[in-house]
Amino acid sequence: MRESFTVTMVHPSPRPGAALSILFAGQSQTVPEHRMGPQKVDYVLIHTVIEGTGWFRCRERHYDLGPGDSFVILPGELYTYQADGKDPWRYRWIAFRGAEADRWLAAAGIDAERPIVKGGHETALRAMTAVERCFREKEWTADWEAEGWLRLAFSAWAGANRPAGPPTAATAKSVAAAEADRAARWLQAQAAGPVTIARMARELGYHRTHLTKLFHAEMGMSPIRYLQQLRMERAKTLLLEPLRIEEVALSVGYADPLYFSKSFRKWVGCTPTEYRQGLGRT
């Protein structure tokens, strides 16, 4: 029989009012028939089993669990769990609360009717181990590090629970609309630098012609025109600030200020200087 132990590390420096606050992390080798509950907590508590077996009960549903399984205890839910009498659990856990918690759980497909995750345990256990370590070391950056590790654990749980992603994603948007939106966000991210449609298509995994047609059908304009619109709207905002025309041009992806001025005039109907002076405003 494995020797029993329990270790819990509490967050050394939580941020007041944080949207997500990790409370503690730990691990335990339980004794045979170790039992918790029936009881409730006011935070989210996730256990991931390393070795051994046992059961978890929530909302009158019974779940038999073993290595690699995770069970999620939700705030306000009455729960009970118990380790096996001959092969008791060894597991890790992490507890957290905050406004972001519900959104993360929903995205991962976890709720009181579906409190079990099968898979993703290797990443989750590594993340829990790291959180316990950073809480033990009491670094002032522990809050950011712990949240980063918890995000990594959730990516594993979500991937195991919903391999194809949330079911609402396909119904909310068509595949074409979703890909056009992804291309638009790529252009938004790259608008201040040199951009080619060939590069965009390559990085998004599409043939240039196909992506251009898809984008035009969904967005009502070509990717190039969309990029120009982004840049010119941004330029109009920057021209209200005390920046030189050259600085505005560079900020919106134009290395040549003269070419920027010509493009701006063609798009807006006046030069950047005239716009700044109020002659181009409507």
Side-chain angles (χ1 to χ4, degrees):
M1 182 67 65
R2 297 183 291 269
E3 183 178 352
S4 64
F5 67 90
T6 298
V7 176
T8 300
M9 290 293 159
V10 177
H11 197 317
S13 54
R15 286 175 295 161
L20 187 79
S21 180
I22 302 172
L23 306 176
F24 56 85
Q27 58 177 306
S28 179
Q29 170 60 66
T30 61
V31 298
E33 298 185 348
H34 167 75
R35 183 185 179 103
M36 295 293 291
Q39 61 191 47
K40 295 182 179 183
V41 293
D42 62 354
Y43 47 80
V44 181
L45 177 60
I46 303 180
H47 291 70
T48 297
V49 180
I50 303 170
E51 297 176 310
T53 59
W55 56 262
F56 173 70
R57 187 175 295 136
C58 179
R59 291 197 175 183
E60 304 304 319
R61 294 186 179 182
H62 180 95
Y63 306 90
D64 292 314
L65 304 173
D69 297 334
S70 297
F71 58 96
V72 183
I73 298 167
L74 297 171
E77 293 290 338
L78 188 66
Y79 71 89
T80 308
Y81 62 86
Q82 181 173 307
D84 185 73
K86 295 182 179 179
D87 186 21
W89 279 323
R90 179 185 172 198
Y91 47 40
R92 284 189 172 272
W93 62 78
I94 190 166
F96 55 95
R97 63 158 64 100
E100 284 286 275
D102 288 345
R103 187 175 67 84
W104 287 23
L105 292 164
I110 298 170
D111 56 35
E113 297 296 327
R114 296 167 297 176
I116 306 302
V117 180
K118 300 279 188 177
H121 54 284
E122 292 181 355
T123 299
L125 289 169
R126 186 167 73 252
M128 292 176 180
T129 301
V131 172
E132 181 188 321
R133 174 192 53 75
C134 75
F135 284 1
R136 180 184 295 109
E137 293 174 355
K138 300 179 183 179
E139 295 289 344
W140 70 271
T141 56
D143 197 59
W144 289 305
E145 184 176 351
E147 183 172 325
W149 281 111
L150 182 59
R151 286 178 181 273
L152 188 63
F154 258 93
S155 73
W157 287 321
N161 224 24
R162 286 181 159 168
T168 54
T171 56
K173 293 182 179 180
S174 68
V175 173
E179 289 305 304
D181 178 70
R182 188 162 72 106
R185 287 185 282 106
W186 188 93
L187 289 169
Q188 292 163 18
Q190 303 296 327
V195 174
T196 67
I197 302 306
R199 177 187 160 210
M200 179 179 73
R202 182 175 65 254
E203 292 189 6
L204 296 181
Y206 282 94
H207 188 278
R208 173 177 176 168
T209 302
H210 175 75
L211 182 58
T212 299
K213 289 181 177 178
L214 180 152
F215 191 95
H216 196 285
E218 295 296 331
M219 306 298 288
M221 65 183 77
S222 69
I224 288 295
R225 185 166 180 81
Y226 182 83
L227 178 63
Q228 289 174 330
Q229 178 176 284
L230 286 174
R231 286 173 164 174
M232 293 306 151
E233 291 303 314
R234 176 62 174 158
K236 286 159 69 174
T237 299
L238 292 174
L239 284 167
L240 302 178
E241 300 182 14
L243 297 172
R244 291 182 294 130
I245 300 300
E246 293 85 350
E247 293 169 336
V248 174
L250 287 171
S251 297
V252 295
Y254 288 86
D256 184 347
L258 181 59
Y259 182 62
F260 163 69
S261 295
K262 289 180 178 179
S263 299
F264 187 90
R265 182 170 186 171
K266 184 176 181 180
W267 188 273
V268 180
C270 63
T271 67
T273 300
E274 290 170 340
Y275 184 84
R276 171 170 275 168
Q277 292 171 346
L279 299 178
R281 299 181 194 172
T282 57

